[in-house]
Amino acid sequence: MSSNCNNRAMILAVDDEAIQLEVIKGALNAHYQVITTTSPQQALVLAEQYTPDIVLLDIDMPEINGFDLCRLLQKIPALLSTSFVFITSHHDAEIEVEALELGAVDFITKPIHTNVCLMRIKNQMVIRQQAESVKEALNQTHAEKTHLQTILRSIGDGVVATDINKKITFINPVAQRLTGFLASEAIGNAITDILKLNYSSNSSTALAPLDIAMSQKRVITMSLDIELCSRSGKQYQIELTASPLFDIENVNLIGGVLAFQNISDVVAMANQMTHLANHDHLTGLPNRVSLNNQLKQEVARARHTNHLVAVLMFDIDNFKYLNDTIGHNKGDEVIKTVANRLQMVCNDTTIISRVGGDEFVVLLVDCAGHDQINKIASQIFEEISKPFDVLEERYRLTMSMGISIYPSDANTADDLIRHADTAMFKVKSEGRNAHAFYNETLSDELRERVNIEKLLHQRLDENALIIHYQPKYSLTTGAISGVEALVRMLGHEEQLIPPDQFISVAEKSNLIQLLGEQVLTKSCLQVKKWLDGGVKMGVAVNIGASQFNAPGFVALIANTLQKCDIPPHLLELEITESALLQNVVNANKTISALQSLGVTVALDDFGTGYSSLSYLRSFNFDLLKIDKAFIRDICENKQAFSIFTAIKNMAKSLNLRLVCEGIETIQQQQMLKALKCEQGQGYLFCRPLPPVDLEASFPEVFSS
Ligand code: C2E
Ligand code: MG
Ligand code: MG
């Protein structure tokens, strides 16, 4: 409808009689914008200029009659939707027909009756408005339809629509691609001929989802186990929704729609993730998660069958060192070989899993008794003891195994695993390369160990370890020649826990590095404190085996000396034989490097380990500390006396200074003095003491 300044509809009236135009104006002016002309030429101009909604045309005009003018006006594109009403004094039908053929919508007869004229025009206006609304609605519907079609064509889901007879009426490009049928091939065919659905688990034909949706008049979803078989035989895992389609009143069923999604990739990924979550990536064996589940199931089953379930947990002894030596890639290969060899031992009643780096668990289900368990354990040991060839070297491995049994040891999967672990721990602490069955007392030991480890963590975090110092003294003069730093840990009840109770825990849990660093720094700072007070007091610090063998140990010593600002000759390091066993060549290199720094290196607890006297020759120590076990018996036991003198003589021949530990009695002291031993250490002279007490006990030394 044409727009004009006051938004009122516009009427153009053309009549050669001006009087008629006045009548028309009088009739319409109050409601519409009316422009009039007596000239057909001007009418053409005005029409083009104002685009009237309705043109009132007198049929009988002298220059050009109304019909011809109408034809001319209709040629103006802007007037495409303009309505033409003729003003006529004729009453014959021919004229009316001609007018209607020309597209006239109504007639007004002369003489013009103003009310009739207004009513006619008003009616036309209503008709025009309704036509406009219909047009708008149609446009909107068309736009929506196009929009929906675009969506259906472009969404990632397959969409197929059918009529009431389940013949396809629409199929979008995704559905065409997945089924392998073009729209032109699919439309008109039964949906079951185009969309072939199977159950993926057994490949049988799936229930037709659209049949169900249409017969039950509800939406149904099938999300599991459905496979679409394409025209070429390709299988897709799909998830689908079938919906009934109702007519516009939502009453009568007119067809159905099936929407489906290709979830093959998602399913494949989910399967892979489930596998990864349950299996060890290196060996492909079930992992700890899977083991727990299987063990739970087996325990539940064994409750009914009255069979035993045995958990055999083991790890490779010192695998860490092997890994460090041959590199992690080769280490992985060894683990894979172990897994393969285990599989040879195992049969239907065994489940193998890898639960940690070098840690495996074998479950024996439906197990008859200890004999069978021992047999399998021996077979596993035999397999593992066969040599492993890596990088042209031949390695032999041993392992430690702990075994727990349902129902005698525990009733739950968690407890069974925990107990097997405890038994394995026991084997490890008793020298490895063996298997042991769990028993009650083991658990207490482990609990104790765990508590100690927790406390040690805490004390290390707080840097709160306590150091006591025990003097070493000259057996000839009684003068203090240095002190040994001996670590203690404060317990929860403020009691002092001795190192024997936590050093081995620290070694096993890798806390020994940090412990060693803290003791070293604290001891050197104490030396510095004494030094600043004018007292030159050397300190001997005990070094754990793995601390000594760790890379960067020599640098750590050098840094600590520098950091604490003390001369190297005031530091002595005591190492035990176990530190030397791992690698003789490296140990000697480390000892020499330490000596080059100016630090003294002592072999502690000599005589308690494996070393023969000749073994001692391989190392270039400065000092030897004979273990207190020899001193204890020296006065009563002839054998102890002769071993002691042999050690002493050899130390002399190797130019090693000697310190006798654990002197508790005057007799022992006198005996050692008579044997011309130079230095001693023991409760007789002084117990290990906190620095303040030590200083108070020896004012002549510390208050200079
Ligand atoms: P060790 O290095 O042989 O230290 C001597 C041990 O003998 C100390 O025990 C000391 O208190 C004890 N002792 C001294 N005189 C006598 C005596 O006359 N009779 C008896 N029966 N014992 C005596 P402690 O302090 O309990 O230390 C035990 C072991 O713990 C030490 O033996 C050492 O191997 C280790 N240790 C102590 N502190 C550290 C440390 O900071 N790091 C490391 N890695 N080990 C440490
Ligand atoms: Mg010592
Ligand atoms: Mg010692």
Side-chain angles (χ1 to χ4, degrees):
M1 213 169 278
S2 70
S3 60
N4 45 58
C5 51
N6 55 13
N7 250 349
R8 291 197 300 173
M10 172 162 287
I11 315 287
L12 168 65
V14 189
D15 199 314
D16 58 321
E17 293 174 71
I19 184 85
Q20 298 293 353
L21 294 176
E22 285 310 308
V23 176
I24 291 169
K25 258 192 189 169
L28 304 179
N29 237 354
H31 303 275
Y32 307 105
Q33 224 188 334
V34 184
I35 43 172
T36 57
T37 176
T38 52
S39 151
Q41 258 69 37
Q42 201 192 1
L44 289 168
V45 176
L46 290 171
E48 186 137 28
Q49 188 179 347
Y50 292 102
T51 333
D53 297 287
I54 297 177
V55 176
L56 283 173
L57 276 178
D58 181 24
I59 295 177
D60 298 314
M61 287 188 289
E63 281 172 53
I64 176 168
N65 73 32
F67 293 144
D68 289 340
L69 181 57
C70 181
R71 283 188 194 95
L72 289 173
L73 286 167
Q74 281 174 337
K75 285 191 183 138
I76 299 172
L79 268 59
L80 209 64
S81 58
T82 298
S83 306
F84 293 89
V85 174
F86 285 102
I87 307 164
T88 177
S89 45
H90 299 274
H91 290 283
D92 55 27
E94 262 177 49
I95 298 268
E96 233 173 86
V97 170
E98 190 176 355
L100 289 172
E101 274 173 3
L102 258 177
V105 292
D106 206 356
F107 299 91
I108 295 172
T109 49
K110 286 183 185 174
I112 298 169
H113 189 285
T114 51
N115 278 347
V116 173
C117 176
L118 179 60
M119 285 316 296
R120 292 263 155 121
I121 296 301
K122 272 191 173 171
N123 285 344
Q124 282 312 315
M125 282 299 172
V126 170
I127 291 169
R128 285 177 62 81
Q129 269 161 1
Q130 284 172 347
E132 194 71 22
S133 308
V134 170
K135 198 169 133 198
E136 259 175 41
L138 280 175
N139 281 345
Q140 205 176 337
T141 313
H142 181 73
E144 275 170 14
K145 196 175 162 191
T146 318
H147 183 60
L148 282 175
Q149 293 242 342
T150 314
I151 292 174
L152 285 177
R153 282 181 208 293
S154 57
I155 54 171
D157 292 5
V159 180
V160 179
T162 72
D163 61 15
I164 186 94
N165 299 316
K166 287 150 209 156
K167 297 254 194 279
I168 295 177
T169 54
F170 173 83
I171 177 164
N172 78 344
V174 175
Q176 291 173 44
R177 185 167 52 74
L178 294 177
T179 58
F181 290 96
L182 294 172
S184 55
E185 297 168 310
I187 289 173
N189 277 303
I191 189 162
T192 42
D193 290 341
I194 303 297
L195 215 71
K196 299 212 163 73
L197 302 175
N198 294 331
Y199 290 118
S200 38
S201 50
N202 58 14
S203 298
S204 65
T205 307
L207 283 177
L210 207 56
D211 286 0
I212 306 170
M214 284 169 71
S215 63
Q216 299 184 3
K217 296 191 176 160
R218 64 183 180 92
V219 175
I220 67 155
T221 300
M222 294 166 107
S223 53
L224 296 171
D225 196 31
I226 293 287
E227 210 168 64
L228 167 69
C229 183
S230 83
R231 188 184 204 172
S232 63
K234 204 166 170 193
Q235 317 271 12
Y236 298 100
Q237 293 278 333
I238 62 163
E239 206 171 65
L240 64 81
T241 308
S243 322
L245 202 61
F246 295 98
D247 62 5
I248 203 119
E249 277 86 36
N250 225 356
V251 178
N252 300 312
L253 187 71
I254 56 164
V257 178
L258 229 154
F260 52 96
Q261 239 179 347
N262 175 11
I263 53 164
S264 307
D265 291 347
V266 179
V267 171
M269 190 178 290
N271 286 342
Q272 199 188 351
M273 280 168 74
T274 313
H275 185 85
L276 282 179
N278 286 292
H279 289 81
D280 160 46
H281 68 281
L282 183 64
T283 60
L285 290 175
N287 62 11
R288 191 179 282 276
V289 176
S290 180
L291 168 77
N292 277 329
N293 290 336
Q294 297 199 46
L295 183 54
K296 273 183 195 146
Q297 285 169 16
E298 290 305 333
V299 165
R301 206 166 62 84
R303 281 202 181 106
H304 302 290
T305 59
N306 284 336
H307 275 110
L308 307 180
V309 179
V311 178
L312 284 61
M313 177 182 280
F314 55 91
D315 76 9
I316 299 166
D317 296 330
N318 296 321
F319 186 73
K320 191 178 148 326
Y321 296 119
L322 177 72
N323 224 5
D324 288 346
T325 314
I326 62 176
H328 288 236
N329 289 342
K330 293 288 167 196
D332 283 355
E333 274 178 34
V334 172
I335 292 291
K336 277 199 243 177
T337 313
V338 169
N340 290 341
R341 290 189 190 175
L342 285 175
Q343 267 156 337
M344 308 226 259
V345 174
C346 297
N347 56 27
D348 291 353
T349 57
T350 41
I351 299 166
I352 315 163
S353 54
R354 180 177 176 224
V355 295
D358 62 330
E359 209 169 82
F360 294 84
V361 168
V362 170
L363 292 188
L364 297 190
V365 298
D366 294 336
C367 173
H370 276 64
D371 287 351
Q372 194 190 346
I373 300 171
N374 278 323
K375 193 174 141 213
I376 299 268
S378 314
Q379 284 173 347
I380 295 175
F381 269 84
E382 203 182 304
E383 279 302 325
I384 303 299
S385 68
K386 290 177 185 163
F388 290 79
D389 292 328
V390 185
L391 295 171
E392 291 169 15
E393 291 272 350
R394 184 154 270 213
Y395 292 89
R396 287 187 184 275
L397 303 183
T398 61
M399 59 176 204
S400 304
M401 180 188 281
I403 303 168
S404 67
I405 300 168
Y406 169 87
S408 54
D409 295 335
N411 282 319
T412 67
D414 285 350
D415 285 350
L416 282 166
I417 289 182
R418 222 161 33 81
H419 290 346
D421 192 30
T422 307
M424 181 174 82
F425 167 71
K426 179 76 176 167
V427 173
K428 286 200 170 296
S429 58
E430 283 175 355
R432 307 166 199 265
N433 194 18
H435 73 281
F437 286 86
Y438 169 81
N439 68 48
E440 279 286 303
T441 53
L442 291 181
S443 204
D444 297 339
E445 285 174 31
L446 191 72
R447 206 170 303 126
E448 186 57 33
R449 191 197 121 152
V450 169
N451 287 341
I452 287 278
E453 195 175 315
K454 272 192 202 152
L455 184 63
L456 182 57
H457 257 292
Q458 188 186 332
R459 295 292 179 245
L460 286 169
D461 282 347
E462 302 160 346
N463 191 13
L465 291 176
I466 293 167
I467 318 251
H468 284 183
Y469 296 88
Q470 185 181 35
K472 290 187 287 179
Y473 63 104
S474 159
L475 287 169
T476 40
T477 64
I480 295 181
S481 52
V483 290
E484 178 175 5
L486 294 159
V487 67
R488 275 96 182 87
M489 176 166 77
L490 205 59
H492 289 300
E493 268 91 48
E494 302 284 301
Q495 80 283 23
L496 276 189
I497 302 173
D500 290 345
Q501 286 183 35
F502 61 89
I503 291 292
S504 65
V505 174
E507 286 270 4
K508 279 174 197 136
S509 56
N510 260 341
L511 291 172
I512 194 72
Q513 305 292 348
L514 189 57
L515 179 146
E517 279 177 42
Q518 292 191 0
V519 172
L520 186 71
T521 306
K522 279 176 194 271
S523 307
C524 289
L525 287 174
Q526 182 58 60
V527 169
K528 172 70 176 159
K529 203 171 164 194
W530 283 323
L531 203 57
D532 289 347
V535 181
K536 279 191 194 140
M537 183 60 65
V539 71
V541 177
N542 293 285
I543 301 297
S546 48
Q547 192 192 357
F548 176 78
N549 286 298
F553 175 65
V554 178
L556 171 80
I557 299 295
N559 288 342
T560 311
L561 286 170
Q562 200 184 16
K563 189 174 68 183
C564 301
D565 189 24
I566 61 163
H569 72 268
L570 291 182
L571 180 63
E572 183 176 303
L573 300 177
E574 295 188 7
I575 56 177
T576 52
E577 286 166 66
S578 56
L580 310 173
L581 295 176
Q582 286 171 19
N583 189 327
V584 175
V585 180
N586 274 352
N588 248 340
K589 277 190 194 152
T590 308
I591 294 170
S592 301
L594 291 168
Q595 288 165 334
S596 314
L597 290 178
V599 169
T600 307
V601 186
L603 180 61
D604 201 359
D605 301 343
F606 187 73
T608 52
Y610 313 88
S611 23
S612 61
L613 290 177
S614 57
Y615 185 72
L616 192 58
R617 283 183 211 280
S618 325
F619 298 96
N620 42 351
F621 289 104
D622 299 300
L623 204 140
L624 197 65
K625 296 187 82 172
I626 300 182
D627 192 70
K628 47 187 170 294
F630 295 97
I631 312 297
R632 187 179 56 225
D633 298 338
I634 198 166
C635 299
E636 295 95 42
N637 185 326
K638 250 190 134 68
Q639 199 185 351
F641 177 83
S642 46
I643 294 173
F644 178 85
T645 43
I647 295 173
K648 189 194 143 277
N649 291 337
M650 198 191 61
K652 198 174 174 200
S653 73
L654 290 174
N655 246 342
L656 284 168
R657 284 180 281 137
L658 208 63
V659 177
C660 303
E661 292 186 324
I663 306 172
E664 292 182 353
T665 65
I666 300 269
Q667 290 81 355
Q668 288 165 350
Q669 181 173 276
Q670 281 169 349
M671 169 76 86
L672 293 168
K673 198 174 166 185
L675 285 168
K676 299 224 166 19
C677 292
E678 292 157 27
Q679 289 193 77
Q681 186 180 345
Y683 294 165
L684 175 68
F685 187 70
C686 181
R687 284 186 174 261
L689 293 173
V692 201
D693 298 345
L694 185 72
E695 289 160 15
S697 304
F698 298 95
E700 70 283 6
V701 178
F702 290 99
S703 58
S704 64

